[in-house]
Amino acid sequence: MISSALKLKVVAGLLLAFAGTASATTYTNVPAGATTGLPFAYFGNAANPSGDSPMVGQVFSLTENSLLSSFSFYAVGNTAASFQLNVAQWNPATNAQNQAFNTVGSNLLTTTFNAVDTYNAAGGYTTLSFENLALSLNAGTKYIAYLTSSDASVTGIQLSRTQTAADTTGFGLGHAYASTIPGQGWQLPFNGNGFLSLQYTAVTTAAAVPEPESYALMLGGLVLVGAVAKRRQNKQA
C-alpha cells in the first residue's frame, strides 16, 4: 500500500512539473552600445527646441504576458544623479499618433530600488539601470517606462535616443515626453519616418508554460492517486 507521505510527494512533483519553465528575453535597441551623437532627449529644464520635460520615457508593449525584470535607459556622459523609474499604463483609448496627446494611468511601479549608474568611458555614456522589478505586464497593453528625479543636478542631462523608423525588437513603440504646455499630456515626437525611440534595454521573463510531457505526467499521477483512494475505500468497505 502506498503511504500518504508518498502520495503527497507524487502530487508535489506533478505540480512542479506542470508549472513548466520560464524563459528570460532581452529587448534592446543598443546592441553595440548607446549612441552619444544627435539626437538627444533632455532631462531637466535646459533649453530644448522639442520641449522635452523632466518626464521622458519609452512607450512599449509585449506580445505575451510577462514579468518585467529590469529596465535601463542611457544618459550621455558620466551621470551620477538620483533617478526614479516609473512604469504606467499608456492611454489605451489613443493610438499614440504623431504629436497626439495621451494621458497616463496611475503608476504600476515607482522605484529607486536597485538603481545602478554605470559609466562606460569608451562609449561616453552612463547606463541607468533598475533591477529586480518583478512587475507583471499583460500582452497587447501599451505601457510607458519613464524617469523622474527630485535631484537638482539632473538639469540639462541628455538621454540617448534613436532615429530608426521602427524598433526591430518589437518592444519599443516610441519615445514620449510630457508636454510643457499647461493642460496637455504626453506626446510622441515624430521624425518624418517613424517615432523617435529612447535607447533602452529591458529584460522580461515570460509566464511559465507547461511542457507537453507535463500533461502526460499530470494525468498519470492523477490516475495513480485515484487508484490509491479507490483501494482504501475498498478496504474500508
Side-chain angles (χ1 to χ4, degrees):
M1 177 177 150
I2 299 178
S3 68
S4 298
L6 178 58
K7 286 190 292 181
L8 289 175
K9 288 181 180 179
V10 170
V11 173
L14 293 173
L15 292 175
L16 286 173
F18 194 70
T21 57
S23 57
T25 304
T26 299
Y27 300 91
T28 183
N29 58 4
V30 289
T35 301
T36 54
L38 291 174
F40 299 128
Y42 279 87
F43 190 97
N45 298 319
N48 184 7
S50 65
D52 295 327
S53 83
M55 292 186 182
V56 184
Q58 177 67 38
V59 178
F60 66 92
S61 68
L62 296 168
T63 56
E64 60 181 343
N65 294 341
S66 303
L67 286 178
L68 181 63
S69 303
S70 68
F71 205 102
S72 300
F73 287 113
Y74 300 90
V76 178
N78 191 355
T79 299
S82 175
F83 292 100
Q84 179 173 278
L85 177 70
N86 308 271
V87 179
Q89 186 170 326
W90 190 252
N91 186 2
T94 64
N95 194 28
Q97 305 263 334
N98 177 26
Q99 295 297 310
F101 303 138
N102 299 268
T103 57
V104 173
S106 58
N107 279 354
L108 304 174
L109 173 74
T110 299
T111 184
T112 56
F113 181 66
N114 286 346
V116 179
D117 298 347
T118 306
Y119 178 56
N120 183 307
Y125 62 87
T126 298
T127 301
L128 311 174
S129 179
F130 299 84
E131 306 293 334
N132 300 322
L133 302 178
L135 176 64
S136 181
L137 300 177
N138 296 323
T141 299
K142 292 181 181 178
Y143 300 95
I144 180 168
Y146 64 98
L147 293 174
T148 57
S149 179
S150 57
D151 188 339
S153 67
V154 303
T155 299
I157 286 178
Q158 296 172 320
L159 297 180
S160 188
R161 68 185 184 186
T162 68
Q163 283 185 309
T164 54
D167 187 338
T168 57
T169 66
F171 186 89
L173 297 178
H175 156 237
Y177 64 90
S179 173
T180 55
I181 303 172
Q184 294 183 352
W186 291 74
Q187 301 180 10
L188 285 173
F190 196 78
N191 70 350
N193 297 315
F195 292 121
L196 294 172
S197 182
L198 281 176
Q199 296 192 328
Y200 62 88
T201 297
V203 178
T204 67
T205 303
V209 177
E211 298 175 354
E213 56 268 26
S214 298
Y215 289 105
L217 183 60
M218 174 63 78
L219 180 59
L222 291 176
V223 170
L224 174 61
V225 173
V228 171
K230 186 174 181 180
R231 178 182 294 180
R232 173 170 294 182
Q233 286 179 352
N234 291 340
K235 281 197 169 188
Q236 290 176 348

